[in-house]
Amino acid sequence: MDFTNPLIYGVPCFLGLILVELTYSKHHDHDELYNWKDLGASLTMGIGSTLIAPLIKTVTVILLFNWVYDVFNPMVDGVRTNIFGWESFGYAWYVWILCQLADDFSYYWFHRQNHMVRFFWAAHIVHHSSENFNLGTAVRNGWFTIFYKPLFYVWIVAIGFPPEMLVVCLGIEALWQFQLHSQYIPKLGIIDKVFNTHTMHQVHHARNLEYMDKNHGGFLNIFDRVFGTFKEFDEEIEIEYGVTKSPDSYNPLVILTHEYKDIWNDMKRSPKLKHKFMYAFGPPGWSHDGSTLTIKQMRQKLKEERVQQAKSDLELEAAE
């Protein structure tokens, strides 16, 4: 059964909505929301990923998803039967819901690993490199994540979901992710209890220490809550968007490749193979000499400093 990827219709809508938000921001004196050079870089990378993605996705669906589906769900007496004994899933409405949930689960881990593994982060940092948060940032996608992203989803077709169904669910996920990149949508009450919403995604794009590496979910925030990466939006905290080490350039090629260059330079800092491996595949910020810190280490250091400060304050009060 053939289905149309919803992104085919989504891409023109993306451009239209960016124009609407841009116009609205300029007419309401929100000039800081969009930076022309930054928007140009985002659109250039978005166009590039749009041109690259169809080729890679075609190869992925035909050579990987379909191959895995056929291997794990062969035809037995004219019926698709999973190697573990059950019939391959069909196209009933509840199967679509289950597939979308499976997609969201995979998206959570794919997205989280993009923040936990530096080599993946080098591809994903492109999306976070803008110091603006708007619908233009939503299309600021790296060109290399598509090469490994399918590996996080292949289990879905292996257990019996049709490949074309998964592709549609991936498209729906992408549509939801796009519209999250707006500052004009406030907290949504009860919807925030289940769904990943706009304020939650603002948290995800912040470089404030208390916000970093939080809210990795797709359209649900359930997996963030279950696996300990959920963070509520705090209106008292002034958000700073972007990354701690900015590419400091609007050149798309620099933005796309700067972290790979940094990885290479860091690997040359130590002769030990273990250190080289960690610079490439350890958490971002890891260093063999402590010259740079991971987010976890930075939080621990801040916690220790606060404890020490509290002790000093108590000692000072006691002395008085």
Side-chain angles (χ1 to χ4, degrees):
M1 188 175 293
D2 294 326
F3 297 99
T4 301
N5 189 330
L7 280 181
I8 292 177
Y9 307 107
V11 171
C13 294
F14 292 170
L15 296 176
L17 289 171
I18 290 171
L19 181 60
V20 169
E21 186 183 58
L22 174 62
T23 303
Y24 182 87
S25 68
K26 298 304 180 184
H27 279 279
H28 289 78
D29 297 324
H30 301 157
D31 292 334
E32 73 285 351
L33 186 66
Y34 276 89
N35 174 295
W36 289 109
K37 290 183 178 180
D38 183 77
L39 177 60
S42 295
L43 290 176
T44 300
M45 287 179 284
I47 292 170
S49 64
T50 301
L51 295 175
I52 293 172
L55 174 61
I56 303 302
K57 286 181 178 178
T58 298
V59 173
T60 299
V61 172
I62 294 177
L63 297 185
L64 180 59
F65 285 176
N66 281 350
W67 178 78
V68 170
Y69 184 67
D70 288 338
V71 169
F72 283 84
N73 303 273
M75 296 293 291
V76 178
D77 297 328
V79 179
R80 284 280 182 187
T81 305
N82 192 272
I83 60 173
F84 295 108
W86 58 78
E87 288 188 11
S88 178
F89 310 134
Y91 299 92
W93 63 269
Y94 57 86
V95 177
W96 282 95
I97 294 175
L98 291 174
C99 188
Q100 195 71 66
L101 289 173
D103 163 84
D104 205 57
F105 177 78
S106 293
Y107 180 87
Y108 171 82
W109 286 107
F110 159 71
H111 196 182
R112 183 171 176 176
Q113 293 310 304
N114 276 337
H115 286 257
M116 297 293 103
V117 179
R118 192 180 180 191
F119 191 76
F120 293 164
W121 173 241
H124 186 58
I125 193 175
V126 174
H127 183 63
H128 283 266
S129 60
S130 174
E131 295 182 356
N132 300 92
F133 184 82
N134 51 50
L135 292 178
T137 307
V139 300
R140 190 187 186 97
N141 295 316
W143 296 358
F144 307 124
T145 56
I146 191 64
F147 289 99
Y148 60 86
K149 182 178 180 178
L151 299 178
F152 287 85
Y153 294 81
V154 71
W155 69 273
I156 298 175
V157 294
I159 65 173
F161 289 100
E164 59 271 24
M165 178 181 287
L166 175 57
V167 171
V168 172
C169 290
L170 284 164
I172 293 172
E173 187 89 62
L175 293 176
W176 183 267
Q177 280 291 307
F178 170 81
Q179 58 87 35
L180 290 179
H181 294 78
S182 178
Q183 297 186 46
Y184 287 122
I185 309 299
K187 287 187 175 182
L188 298 175
I190 193 171
I191 295 176
D192 290 336
K193 300 297 183 182
V194 178
F195 291 95
N196 186 22
T197 57
H198 309 79
T199 53
M200 293 176 193
H201 206 58
Q202 289 181 54
V203 168
H204 180 71
H205 272 260
R207 65 170 180 248
N208 307 64
L209 184 57
E210 59 267 55
Y211 280 167
M212 287 195 290
D213 284 356
K214 299 294 183 180
N215 299 353
H216 302 294
F219 66 89
L220 299 174
N221 62 48
I222 295 173
F223 300 118
D224 279 301
R225 294 180 186 274
V226 170
F227 296 111
T229 53
F230 179 77
K231 183 69 175 179
E232 192 76 53
F233 177 81
D234 188 344
E235 295 177 352
E236 299 298 319
I237 297 176
E238 183 177 353
I239 290 185
E240 296 180 7
Y241 298 107
V243 292
T244 55
K245 188 176 181 182
S246 171
D248 196 27
S249 174
Y250 295 117
N251 185 327
L253 292 179
V254 173
I255 297 171
L256 285 165
T257 61
H258 76 279
E259 185 67 12
Y260 293 107
K261 179 180 178 181
D262 289 344
I263 290 175
W264 177 249
N265 289 334
D266 285 341
M267 290 176 69
K268 293 187 291 185
R269 292 175 54 195
S270 173
K272 294 185 177 181
L273 290 178
K274 178 182 177 180
H275 293 166
K276 294 180 185 296
F277 178 86
M278 288 298 294
Y279 275 121
F281 298 103
W286 182 91
S287 62
H288 72 285
D289 56 4
S291 57
T292 58
L293 302 175
T294 66
I295 292 173
K296 184 177 181 179
Q297 290 171 331
M298 286 191 285
R299 287 188 176 130
Q300 181 61 33
K301 181 180 179 181
L302 180 61
K303 181 180 179 180
E304 292 172 355
E305 289 175 350
R306 287 175 175 173
V307 170
Q308 185 60 44
Q309 184 62 48
K311 288 181 179 179
S312 299
D313 292 343
L314 288 174
E315 291 173 356
L316 184 60
E317 290 178 5
E320 294 176 352

